[in-house]
Amino acid sequence: MPAQPVRHALNGRAGSVLGPSVPQTEEISVSAGGRHADGTTNTTPGGGLMPVQTAPRSQSGVTRDWIAKQPQTGNISSMIANLPGVVYASQSPLGTAGDHITMRGMNESQIGYLFEGAPLADPINYEPYTSMLVDTENLGSVTVSQGAPDLNAPLFNAVGGQISATEMNPSHKYGGFLSLMGGTHSANKEFLRLDTGDIGNTGIRGFASFSYLSNNNWRGPGGLTRYHVDSKFVKEWGDGNSITAIFGFNRQEQTSWREPTAAQWRQYGTSFNYTPTYYPGNSTYYKLNFGDLNSLDVIVPMHFTLAHDLTLNVTPYFVHQNGPSVGGENIPASGGYYGTMQYGDLNQPYSYVNASGQRMLTTAGVDPWNQKTGAINTSIDWTTGINTLSFGYWYSYTMHEELSTFSVVDPSGRAANAYGRYPITLADGSILSGYNLNFMQQVNALYLADTLRLLNDRLVLSAGFRAAMVYRQGTNDVPGAAPYKTTGNYFEPLPQFAASYQVTPHDQIYLNGTTAFRAPESVEAYSQIFDPNASHAVEQPGSLKSEYTIAEEIGYRHSDGLVNFQMSFFNINLTNHQITSSAYIPNTNMLISEPINVGGQTSRGVQGEIGLKPWHHVSPYVSAQYLHSTMDNNVPVSATNAAGQSVIDYLPTAGKTTVGAPKVTAAVGLAYDDNRQFFGNFDLRYVGSQYSTFMNDQSIPGYVVSDITLGYRFPRVGRLKGPKVQLNLVNIGNNLYRSAPGSYAATARTQKGIFGSSVAAGSPVYLTGGNFAALVTLSTGF
């Protein structure tokens, strides 16, 4: 089909960073009517891994030239794994499970995720859940800001940077796109998108798509099924006026992965899984351990030109996410606990007697979390001469409900009464529960920014101030919960400054100073967690202090007709660092987030990337980062003194390397595309060793993973536009490895604290990287 130009949606002049109409991201939006049916144009340097950037901060991205050639089962996080400083920890070779990412020593809960300008991550535990946001076939671009969030972004957790994703724009022409995929692990995906094209002279165009995805787990029994709908409609008129309506729906069920300790990895390797058969007392039966990710998202970005020099931006959005998460557990048939209250006989069938002679029930512990957020982000920008003044306000309200229940498992291994729909109740009619949480969050944020352009726009100076106010209130209705009600009030002043200078049309230098904060993560930070096997809380509230960062960067970038290069040096000082550790509730298979306050952290380093535009159809790419991230304080820990009493002591962790922060990461890519028939990619990623304990006495070794893409485009056949076949080979060396710590511990060996008390050893668990996979995709436009 004839070539059409790529549309660069750069709102405002190059180098502007503050205010909605001058964002710090360069978002490249490719319509479905691009040069090829899949949206690729073969114009982005590095094979789609290095779009041109102008913002005065470290920033990288991917475009359709890269996204369309990756496995169609992937997600936003897996697409950016090769960018500098990004450490993506795979759990599935298909990219369908998990969002574990670190950047500059901070994980995904400390990184702000935006989709079409709205924060669709969980606003309390900050989990991004990118696998349910958008189908890869509709993903237009992803931009990563490794250290600094936008001043105007509706975020209050982005101490570690920001990831912004956009959907492809609807085509101006009527048509659609069909994709069929199959491969190893019984993977299959069917995707269909229909474009309306321009609807008469209304200025409206849009698309709607549906997909079905399923696969078996690559290790252990079980698998995934996913139903997904995307839709985007655009109305444009006048001088830059537009209204966009974005809708997403996701229904997904995934069998959980068991995460081994170091000892279990050595003994079992990839065989440490949930079991395929059931017997009474087997709480690790795979059908009792799974999670649902259900969501409905509505985003309506609006842009209005009020006058020649005055613009208004309004983005209302609504997000509904719910579970359940399910984990197997054996509980006492009588004499167990509901909170701190002991119950009598539960009068349930299918009990058994354990090795200690206690009568027990095997149950499915159901956590049907339910969360709704309504919000609006607004801003107004006034430009006069060389000056742009921006003012904005963001309001968000979230309700979160989480009532854990238990459902008895029958002799066939099926949880009775549809996984907790009719849960176990006590004699007085109360529902047996470990936690009954009701949580409310209200956010107000104001910002004011000014951008000054001097020397014919070569010198751009930006300064701004943001005030973020977060109020939280949580209750736990389980008997004995203390406190029953917890509140949190957070007010943080957040100044920013940035400057850039265009030395030549191809060379830019920049520097910035930024601040950010993160309110405490997860409802577990505010509430106790109970369990029928214990007379007291098995999880206590975490630290309620907020993280705060002060960061500086200085960088240089070069971009000409062939070579793109950028390098930056950074320094980040973080106070009240809340390291997030996933841990199992004792005696259960239910994971919860545990925020641990380890004090201060300092991260310093250098990152860079270089990519070539297609040269004789070849586009190489290289990225790397060196990170020196250390803990600033000694960590307080529970210990036992010489008299056998429980006390608080400190471990000498000051100066130790931060957990989950590899010193060296690198990626190499080589793309080939003749823009007619043949195309292919090769990429290789190296992630250095990572510590999992604050004392640096346990770690995982560094690892290498490499992938290959091979593809062929057929000539147009009838109404079929750009039919192609694509082969993706993932982890071609079938490297079996631990990809990241899944939890952290103070020490892996018994230690003496600073005051002489004995500190017990802990056992971190680990994520296991996916093995080899081969996927074949047939697709075509029409």
Side-chain angles (χ1 to χ4, degrees):
M1 63 185 296
Q4 296 185 13
V6 181
R7 294 180 55 195
H8 294 263
L10 279 172
N11 298 321
R13 294 185 239 180
S16 301
V17 300
L18 301 173
S21 65
V22 279
Q24 295 183 19
T25 59
E26 180 190 24
E27 296 175 350
I28 297 179
S29 177
V30 183
S31 75
R35 180 171 296 170
H36 298 294
D38 58 7
T40 59
T41 62
N42 197 30
T43 58
T44 309
L49 284 165
M50 202 172 175
V52 175
Q53 307 290 344
T54 57
R57 63 178 180 185
S58 300
Q59 188 163 284
S60 307
V62 297
T63 69
R64 287 298 300 173
D65 288 349
W66 171 259
I67 295 168
K69 296 171 184 176
Q70 303 312 299
Q72 306 306 296
T73 56
N75 59 48
I76 292 171
S77 297
S78 66
M79 293 296 156
I80 60 175
N82 287 357
L83 299 184
V86 176
V87 181
Y88 169 71
S90 163
Q91 292 189 76
S92 165
L94 308 180
T96 56
D99 269 307
H100 188 84
I101 276 185
T102 62
M103 295 195 311
R104 299 183 178 179
M106 299 182 213
N107 69 14
E108 67 280 356
S109 72
Q110 297 165 294
I111 299 167
Y113 279 76
L114 295 177
F115 179 64
E116 291 285 356
L120 299 194
D122 186 312
I124 300 172
N125 74 8
Y126 310 124
E127 184 68 29
Y129 300 129
T130 64
S131 65
M132 68 179 184
L133 288 184
V134 62
D135 270 318
T136 306
E137 294 86 348
N138 294 328
L139 183 61
S141 67
V142 186
T143 301
V144 178
S145 304
Q146 286 91 342
D150 290 340
L151 185 72
N152 60 6
L155 299 167
F156 55 88
N157 69 306
V159 292
Q162 177 179 306
I163 296 173
S164 303
T166 63
E167 216 166 17
M168 293 173 64
N169 280 331
S171 174
H172 288 277
K173 295 182 179 180
Y174 170 79
F177 186 76
L178 174 67
S179 176
L180 305 173
M181 185 217 73
T184 53
H185 312 303
S186 300
N188 72 94
K189 182 178 182 180
E190 295 80 48
F191 172 88
L192 174 65
R193 181 177 63 236
L194 298 176
D195 280 278
T196 66
D198 290 323
I199 302 176
N201 296 318
T202 64
I204 298 174
R205 67 188 194 276
F207 72 74
S209 70
F210 171 80
S211 71
Y212 170 78
L213 168 65
S214 69
N215 64 265
N216 294 335
N217 283 354
W218 72 273
R219 62 182 181 94
L224 171 143
T225 57
R226 173 182 181 266
Y227 301 87
H228 188 85
V229 174
D230 285 325
S231 151
K232 184 175 185 179
F233 281 77
V234 179
K235 161 69 175 177
E236 297 172 324
W237 75 96
D239 181 18
N241 298 292
S242 66
I243 297 177
T244 303
I246 299 156
F247 172 84
F249 170 81
N250 193 84
R251 184 176 180 181
Q252 177 175 323
E253 183 173 301
Q254 166 82 59
T255 306
S256 304
W257 309 93
R258 289 192 80 184
E259 299 174 1
T261 64
Q264 289 164 337
W265 174 258
R266 287 191 295 269
Q267 182 176 358
Y268 302 106
T270 60
S271 298
F272 184 74
N273 304 308
Y274 289 108
T275 58
T277 56
Y278 176 76
Y279 54 85
N282 181 18
S283 62
T284 61
Y285 178 48
Y286 79 100
K287 289 187 178 181
L288 304 180
N289 296 277
F290 64 89
D292 282 6
L293 288 177
N294 305 303
S295 68
L296 186 151
D297 312 316
V298 180
I299 314 168
V300 188
M302 295 178 278
H303 180 83
F304 304 104
T305 302
L306 305 180
H308 174 69
D309 55 0
L310 193 65
T311 59
L312 172 67
N313 299 275
V314 182
T315 303
Y317 61 92
F318 172 78
V319 183
H320 180 200
Q321 298 177 348
N322 61 286
S325 299
V326 179
E329 180 178 3
N330 297 314
I331 67 172
S334 64
Y337 291 87
Y338 171 37
T340 57
M341 181 181 73
Q342 191 170 27
Y343 57 75
D345 197 319
L346 293 176
N347 296 313
Q348 295 292 323
Y350 315 127
S351 64
Y352 71 96
V353 178
N354 65 13
S356 301
Q358 185 178 13
R359 195 162 60 90
M360 303 291 288
L361 294 169
T362 301
T363 67
V366 183
D367 177 11
W369 56 278
N370 186 32
Q371 185 181 98
K372 298 177 182 178
T373 298
I376 186 168
N377 191 27
T378 62
S379 67
I380 191 164
D381 306 311
W382 178 40
T383 300
T384 172
I386 60 175
N387 197 75
T388 297
L389 184 67
S390 302
F391 174 75
Y393 172 64
W394 171 44
Y395 176 78
S396 173
Y397 187 87
T398 299
M399 290 296 296
H400 179 98
E401 303 168 332
E402 196 165 355
L403 169 63
S404 74
T405 63
F406 297 89
S407 183
V408 176
V409 176
D410 67 23
S412 70
R414 182 178 182 275
N417 302 320
Y419 292 109
R421 185 172 299 166
Y422 304 101
I424 294 175
T425 57
L426 305 181
D428 63 358
S430 300
I431 296 175
L432 178 63
S433 176
Y435 44 93
N436 185 0
L437 309 177
N438 287 276
F439 200 85
M440 181 275 285
Q441 174 179 279
Q442 191 168 220
V443 181
N444 289 271
L446 295 165
Y447 82 87
L448 180 67
D450 190 70
T451 299
L452 185 65
R453 301 173 181 82
L454 303 170
L455 305 178
N456 294 322
D457 286 359
R458 292 177 65 186
L459 176 64
V460 181
L461 304 174
S462 299
F465 181 84
R466 186 171 187 247
M469 295 153 279
V470 179
Y471 174 74
R472 288 172 166 174
Q473 175 182 296
T475 60
N476 189 350
D477 290 330
V478 170
Y484 155 75
K485 178 180 178 180
T486 305
T487 61
N489 254 313
Y490 309 93
F491 172 80
E492 297 292 349
L494 303 168
Q496 286 193 14
F497 170 79
S500 67
Y501 181 70
Q502 204 70 33
V503 181
T504 74
H506 304 295
D507 299 274
Q508 180 194 34
I509 56 174
Y510 63 84
L511 60 88
N512 63 65
T514 61
T515 58
F517 94 105
R518 186 184 75 152
E521 176 194 356
S522 81
V523 293
E524 287 83 14
Y526 297 83
S527 300
Q528 293 174 312
I529 303 297
F530 293 87
D531 187 79
N533 288 286
S535 60
H536 54 81
V538 296
E539 171 71 14
Q540 295 291 342
S543 169
L544 297 183
K545 294 182 178 180
S546 57
E547 294 181 333
Y548 194 90
T549 57
I550 300 175
E552 304 86 25
E553 290 181 324
I554 183 170
Y556 163 78
R557 57 171 59 101
H558 170 84
S559 176
D560 59 27
L562 180 63
V563 179
N564 269 20
F565 169 77
Q566 60 178 345
M567 174 180 286
S568 63
F569 297 85
F570 57 86
N571 176 73
I572 304 174
N573 294 105
L574 173 63
T575 58
N576 290 318
H577 186 193
Q578 317 246 337
I579 290 180
T580 304
S581 178
S582 295
Y584 290 100
I585 298 175
N587 305 311
T588 78
N589 295 300
M590 189 71 74
L591 280 169
I592 58 172
S593 297
E594 289 187 308
I596 305 169
N597 191 336
V598 297
Q601 175 180 311
T602 300
S603 297
R604 294 171 179 154
V606 58
Q607 68 176 54
E609 59 181 338
I610 183 170
L612 268 63
K613 286 189 176 181
W615 180 70
H616 297 286
H617 310 311
V618 175
S619 301
Y621 173 83
V622 177
S623 71
Q625 176 180 273
Y626 173 78
L627 173 67
H628 181 69
S629 182
T630 57
M631 302 174 66
D632 296 340
N633 302 96
N634 295 327
V635 174
V637 292
S638 298
T640 304
N641 64 16
Q645 300 169 319
S646 294
V647 296
I648 298 296
D649 205 333
Y650 289 81
L651 284 175
T653 55
K656 299 288 187 182
T657 299
T658 303
V659 292
K663 286 186 178 292
V664 178
T665 56
V668 177
L670 185 64
Y672 175 86
D673 195 328
D674 66 10
N675 246 343
R676 294 184 299 274
Q677 296 175 315
F678 296 98
F679 63 90
N681 281 349
F682 170 78
D683 66 278
L684 180 147
R685 298 181 299 282
Y686 168 75
V687 177
S689 176
Q690 302 175 61
Y691 287 112
S692 57
T693 61
F694 305 143
M695 285 296 292
N696 292 174
D697 51 11
Q698 190 172 114
S699 64
I700 59 173
Y703 58 86
V704 174
V705 180
S706 55
D707 307 323
I708 288 178
T709 300
L710 300 172
Y712 180 81
R713 301 185 185 97
F714 296 92
R716 179 167 178 165
V717 180
R719 293 185 56 86
L720 302 182
K721 302 175 183 178
K724 73 170 185 178
V725 58
Q726 179 173 306
L727 172 65
N728 289 99
L729 302 176
V730 182
N731 190 3
I732 56 177
N734 196 30
N735 187 15
L736 302 178
Y737 61 101
R738 289 173 289 168
S739 58
S743 69
Y744 306 107
T747 176
R749 304 185 183 98
T750 300
Q751 301 270 2
K752 288 292 184 182
I754 290 176
F755 301 131
S757 303
S758 177
V759 180
S763 299
V765 298
Y766 298 92
L767 308 184
T768 301
N771 70 343
F772 170 79
L775 304 169
V776 176
T777 304
L778 300 173
S779 64
T780 184
F782 57 88

